[in-house]
Amino acid sequence: MGYKILSKKELCPNQFELVIEAPYVVRNAKAGQFIIFRAEENGERVPLTIADVDKSTGALTIVFMAVGYSTQKLAELNVGDELVDLVGPLGQPTHIKKYGTVVCLAGGYGAAPCYLIAKAFKEAGNKVYMIMGARTKNLIFWEEKMKDACTELFITTDDGTLGEKGFVTQVLERIMNSEKVDYAIAVGPLPMMRAVAELTRDKGIYTEASMNPIMVDGTGMCGACRVTVGGETKFACVDGPDFNAHLIDFDEVINRSKIYKDEEKKRSENCNLLKMATK
Amino acid sequence: MRQRPIEQDIFERRNNFNAVEENLTAEQVKIEASRCLNCKNPQCVKGCPVNIQIPDFIKALKEDNLEQAGEIIRQTSMLPSVCGRVCPQERQCEGKCILGIKSEPIAIGALERYVGDNTEAKKVSIIPSGKKVAIIGSGCAGITAAADLRKAGHEVTIFEALHKFGGVLRYGIPPFRLPRKVLDREIKNLQEMGVKFEKNVIVGKSITLKQLKEDGFDAIFICSGAGLPKMMNIPGENLNGVFSANEFLTRVNLMGANDEDKATPLKVGKSVAVIGGGNVAMDAARTAVRVGFEIVYIVYRRTEAELPARLEEIRHAKEEGVKFVFLHAPNEIIEKNGYVDGMKFEIMELGAPDETGRRSPIGTGRFKVLDVDTVIVALGTGPNPIIQKSASTDGINFATDKRGYFIVDEETRETSIPTIFAGGDVAPVGASNAINAMGAGKKAAKAINKYLANNYNK
């Protein structure tokens, strides 16, 4: 079962869209699920959320930022190359139902999974607002695609170079003040997901956040991805990745995400590839 | 005198993952085989979970007939090179050996392993049956069943969730106990027989049982093991530096995290407490020694007499400098800046024997803190519910026990759903170990072969 790259696009600097032949992943894939890849024989297993699927051809789309060793290795692959390993779909799908009004908050390169999530909520009969945020204009991608997936799209940039100046939370606040929001889901960096959770908590709006902890196998056999939710230990790879954002112990998640920072730093310092990438 | 294999130097082997024990030499094999009394009513055979005809294969060795010894073993056991190395023989075949009463039992494991390593399984011609069997999981149960099913002519596909085959033999048991060439050889043999191996397929996610049926599989054997780690549920368990033994061993054994050329990172601290007393705890502790922890403790809540690990591994661990702390039960992991900064234990004493005859530890109310920066939890595992959960959404509801293990017919290993069989650690009958999983694979394959043959004649 080859995992051949069918197309490759640089969506914005250092951020790539790959379409990969992956019939086993695509056959049962649902919004919110993820895959684990190994780019090369010596590679590590890295999780990435499913960004899009084509059920008729068995093609899978992933979007990622080349931020470290393994994503850099993945970015080096070209059309026609094969990944050594690709497994999925993993995790529980996003809990799609008709809630009424749904807000999807997409931050940075975490934005891509929101496409399928928003689309599925819309198809289930919800009014779907999507708020997409990034640091600056050239980090915003898939604008047209996102527009199609939701009822209304908002864009924010920290520096105001595209859409509204500021964070996704200020748009969410405005929507919450003008109408009843029944469900919110945040996918993006941890501080952003935490800020969304704090905002919706007081209003009692049910909110989920898509966790992205360290994973190894992704099938529930190791517990590297442990997250405390409402005082209970959950494995994000099998119980999640989406959890009730008001019950997540974000301090713990943030702490656990740093465990290998020394090891990764050492690797980056030794890695000529990464030196080139950051130049 | 019982012959002992040459062992790698204690100080040297602390720094490498090479096999600790060499095979017996041909000369030693001869001496050891000649010690066997060839009992009329051999107890050793009863002690072997798959009843290998032990005196027969030893007799063949005595007569310099190595090939024949191999054939005798392979009539019942497909993985002699594996089982000769990882079986807890002191509680099985060797534990029953009559010689053990007055002196030392025959080194059956070492002989089996010698035979396994030095002979090949006989090639058989395969007559296609036109039937397809799916095996879910490539561990001991799966590879054993695959061989017997393939010999019956079926098209056999093994689906494996990970990117490499072998299950616990690959990600759990370290190479210093089971050299990878031994495992690779078994898998290559099956591939040569025409068994198809599909990696990166998670049944229940990538493909459902219902879809396997739709894709034309006539029978399914589920042997996905018990891979879900049990945690301690004590404060501090999610601090940085606390790992399940599964995670620690997977990083090293499967991902090569101890190797600088491999991308998977490993956090190596100064001192580690490995919690538990089974083989997994020994493997984790001895691996911790090899990746560079200076102080390695095994902390167990009972005493040395109750340690469930193989005697050989306990001895090897001690020789390699692992410190054993008995009668200590986990209480709390101490934190500093989000990382482990010590672990608190309650000191235990043994109470009266329970209904199984085992003495349970009882807390004394006294506590002790071990100065460690890493904790590895090796308290056992449970079954992964992915398959059952996914099946139930398709209206297939398996009978399972309260811990989630499949309930199967002891003889045929058929689940509550006809044509779907389960065995090994996911549907345990008896102790959870390699040879019992193999036994389950054999039983399931026999039942599946019978079922498909009947069906075929219709």
Side-chain angles (χ1 to χ4, degrees):
Chain A
M1 196 57 58
Y3 314 100
K4 192 184 276 184
I5 296 175
L6 304 171
S7 83
K8 179 184 182 180
K9 256 188 246 167
E10 189 161 7
L11 296 175
C12 22
N14 241 1
Q15 193 161 313
F16 299 88
E17 173 196 301
L18 290 184
V19 180
I20 306 167
E21 184 183 272
Y24 269 119
V25 175
V26 171
R27 188 169 178 182
N28 294 319
K30 293 197 174 74
Q33 289 186 296
F34 64 95
I35 56 107
I36 282 186
F37 76 87
R38 281 201 325 141
E40 42 147 17
E41 206 35 68
N42 284 345
E44 61 188 326
R45 296 171 66 96
V46 181
L48 277 178
T49 315
I50 294 169
D52 201 358
V53 290
D54 185 336
K55 298 254 176 191
S56 63
T57 61
L60 162 82
T61 303
I62 51 173
V63 171
F64 63 97
M65 171 94 86
V67 285
Y69 179 81
S70 291
T71 41
Q72 188 63 43
K73 278 282 174 192
L74 185 63
E76 270 182 72
L77 298 178
N78 288 307
V79 174
D81 290 345
E82 283 187 7
L83 279 73
V84 296
D85 292 299
L86 183 70
V87 61
L90 295 158
Q92 301 300 322
T94 299
H95 310 108
I96 306 287
K97 285 204 305 212
K98 188 171 176 184
Y99 295 98
T101 299
V102 172
V103 182
C104 296
L105 298 114
Y109 63 95
C114 272
Y115 167 70
L116 275 187
I117 292 171
K119 201 168 128 184
F121 273 123
K122 198 175 159 191
E123 277 163 13
N126 294 285
K127 180 179 182 185
V128 181
Y129 292 114
M130 159 104 74
I131 315 169
M132 227 177 138
R135 252 183 13 253
T136 182
K137 180 186 170 183
N138 62 3
L139 295 176
I140 294 285
F141 61 92
W142 277 16
E143 211 179 319
E144 287 308 309
K145 226 177 141 157
M146 291 296 193
K147 238 182 226 165
D148 290 341
C150 63
T151 316
E152 198 177 339
L153 174 71
F154 300 87
I155 289 175
T156 65
T157 45
D158 299 3
D159 61 1
T161 44
L162 186 70
E164 197 171 318
K165 185 175 189 315
F167 300 127
V168 289
T169 39
Q170 75 199 37
V171 180
L172 172 65
E173 208 167 1
R174 219 165 50 225
I175 295 172
M176 280 176 3
N177 288 336
S178 65
E179 64 186 289
K180 184 172 166 284
V181 173
D182 299 290
Y183 187 101
I185 180 163
V187 187
L190 288 169
M192 170 260 188
M193 291 194 281
R194 173 181 233 166
V196 169
E198 289 317 315
L199 202 56
T200 57
R201 189 191 302 273
D202 295 339
K203 296 242 174 186
I205 296 166
Y206 183 78
T207 304
E208 292 210 339
S210 180
M211 293 290 99
N212 49 0
I214 290 167
M215 288 188 189
V216 185
D217 62 288
T219 63
M221 62 172 254
C222 85
C225 63
R226 309 201 284 289
V227 177
T228 301
V229 183
E232 268 181 67
T233 294
K234 300 277 182 192
F235 289 5
C237 72
V238 285
D239 302 319
D242 300 350
F243 293 109
N244 182 338
H246 299 149
L247 300 179
I248 293 169
D249 183 341
F250 275 101
D251 285 333
E252 183 186 277
V253 173
I254 289 167
N255 183 53
R256 285 184 67 80
S257 71
K258 292 177 189 156
I259 177 166
Y260 293 110
K261 67 175 196 300
D262 295 343
E263 287 76 11
E264 271 157 17
K265 198 174 153 231
K266 216 167 100 192
R267 172 162 287 277
S268 311
E269 282 164 4
N270 293 335
C271 177
N272 291 328
L273 200 81
L274 280 177
K275 281 180 206 153
M276 274 159 53
T278 46
K279 255 177 205 167
Chain B
M1 212 181 73
R2 179 173 159 122
Q3 298 298 299
R4 300 191 189 285
I6 294 174
E7 291 183 356
Q8 213 197 130
D9 176 80
I10 292 169
F11 293 98
E12 224 163 87
R13 77 185 195 228
R14 284 173 54 98
N15 300 312
N16 69 51
F17 283 80
N18 300 335
V20 166
E21 286 182 345
E22 279 179 30
N23 261 337
L24 295 176
T25 63
E27 216 171 310
Q28 283 181 305
V29 166
K30 198 85 195 219
I31 300 169
E32 190 62 22
S34 68
R35 289 175 63 228
C36 176
L37 302 174
N38 200 4
C39 303
K40 275 222 177 69
N41 180 14
Q43 297 302 304
C44 56
V45 178
K46 290 184 192 157
C48 170
V50 298
N51 310 120
I52 293 174
Q53 295 305 306
I54 294 163
D56 291 355
F57 97 72
I58 294 180
K59 185 161 171 275
L61 282 178
K62 256 190 253 181
E63 292 162 358
D64 278 326
N65 206 337
L66 188 60
E67 288 304 317
Q68 198 196 347
E71 273 169 45
I72 294 166
I73 295 177
R74 287 194 177 86
Q75 279 165 12
T76 35
S77 165
M78 272 304 292
L79 302 169
S81 295
V82 173
C83 293
R85 286 178 168 86
V86 305
C87 274
Q89 287 98 358
E90 68 270 12
R91 284 197 291 277
Q92 300 172 340
C93 54
E94 295 180 19
K96 296 263 177 171
C97 175
I98 297 298
L99 284 178
I101 298 171
K102 290 217 164 146
S103 65
E104 287 183 304
I106 299 282
I108 301 167
L111 290 177
E112 180 192 17
R113 152 183 168 185
Y114 178 88
V115 174
D117 285 4
N118 292 297
T119 58
E120 289 292 336
K122 250 208 318 216
K123 301 265 181 289
V124 286
S125 54
I126 285 154
I127 305 152
S129 69
K131 297 280 169 183
K132 279 170 75 178
V133 184
I135 296 179
I136 302 166
S138 67
C140 285
I143 52 189
T144 305
D148 286 1
L149 289 162
R150 184 65 193 143
K151 280 182 203 158
H154 311 309
E155 194 185 311
V156 178
T157 307
I158 297 185
F159 295 98
E160 168 57 51
L162 289 173
H163 59 270
K164 281 191 176 149
F165 303 102
V168 169
L169 303 179
R170 179 76 62 186
Y171 72 75
I173 298 175
F176 53 82
R177 253 197 333 125
L178 180 70
R180 290 304 180 256
K181 62 173 199 270
V182 171
L183 177 58
D184 292 340
R185 180 178 153 224
E186 299 299 345
I187 288 163
K188 195 168 144 262
N189 284 342
L190 286 172
Q191 281 168 332
E192 280 170 2
M193 277 172 80
V195 173
K196 287 186 201 162
F197 282 79
E198 290 241 34
K199 62 174 181 172
N200 297 326
V201 180
I202 302 170
V203 176
K205 294 277 184 193
S206 315
I207 192 164
T208 63
L209 292 178
K210 191 168 157 244
Q211 287 167 337
L212 284 174
K213 289 268 178 186
E214 286 164 6
D215 289 359
F217 286 97
D218 300 291
I220 295 170
F221 179 44
I222 303 169
C223 42
S224 47
L228 212 63
K230 285 189 190 133
M231 300 306 282
M232 300 175 288
N233 300 314
I234 60 168
E237 188 154 71
N238 292 343
L239 289 171
N240 290 349
V242 183
F243 304 94
S244 72
N246 267 10
E247 180 185 351
F248 180 69
L249 290 171
T250 299
R251 281 184 184 272
V252 178
N253 291 334
L254 179 72
M255 306 308 299
N258 55 315
D259 180 344
E260 272 188 18
D261 295 335
K262 305 276 169 79
T264 302
L266 186 68
K267 190 117 200 130
V268 179
K270 278 205 169 63
S271 50
V272 55
V274 178
I275 313 300
N279 285 321
V280 177
M282 300 302 141
D283 287 343
R286 297 174 66 200
T287 299
V289 168
R290 284 161 173 79
V291 299
F293 281 90
E294 287 164 27
I295 304 168
V296 179
Y297 296 106
I298 280 190
V299 189
Y300 184 51
R301 60 198 190 109
R302 293 186 163 93
T303 70
E304 178 153 14
E306 288 86 25
L307 277 178
R310 286 181 92 219
L311 283 180
E312 199 96 290
E313 308 326 320
I314 298 168
R315 174 172 64 82
H316 284 155
K318 283 183 181 169
E319 288 170 356
E320 288 159 13
V322 173
K323 297 180 199 313
F324 285 74
V325 180
F326 295 109
L327 291 168
H328 277 54
N331 185 260
E332 186 185 344
I333 300 168
I334 299 158
E335 187 215 337
K336 193 174 162 189
N337 303 327
Y339 284 76
V340 174
D341 191 43
M343 186 164 174
K344 191 174 159 192
F345 295 90
E346 181 170 9
I347 296 169
M348 312 301 275
E349 55 191 28
L350 284 189
D354 61 12
E355 62 274 19
T356 63
R358 215 165 169 218
R359 296 177 67 189
S360 296
I362 297 167
T364 60
R366 285 179 289 126
F367 294 87
K368 194 179 157 187
V369 171
L370 277 188
D371 180 21
V372 291
D373 56 24
T374 306
V375 175
I376 297 174
V377 185
L379 291 174
T381 53
N384 196 319
I386 286 179
I387 293 174
Q388 295 94 310
K389 268 193 194 162
S390 133
S392 77
T393 62
D394 283 332
I396 305 170
N397 293 301
F398 286 100
T400 53
D401 70 11
K402 54 177 186 283
R403 291 171 303 167
Y405 293 104
F406 284 93
I407 294 171
V408 291
D409 180 286
E410 244 185 71
E411 200 41 47
T412 65
R413 307 291 154 132
E414 193 165 27
T415 64
S416 58
I417 309 297
T419 76
I420 300 182
F421 298 75
D425 284 356
V426 80
V429 178
S432 154
N433 57 38
I435 191 125
N436 274 331
M438 270 183 46
K442 284 200 92 70
K443 285 195 166 164
K446 195 175 157 193
I448 293 169
N449 283 338
K450 201 171 150 196
Y451 158 71
L452 291 179
N454 290 342
N455 206 12
Y456 194 47
N457 290 337
K458 262 177 209 166

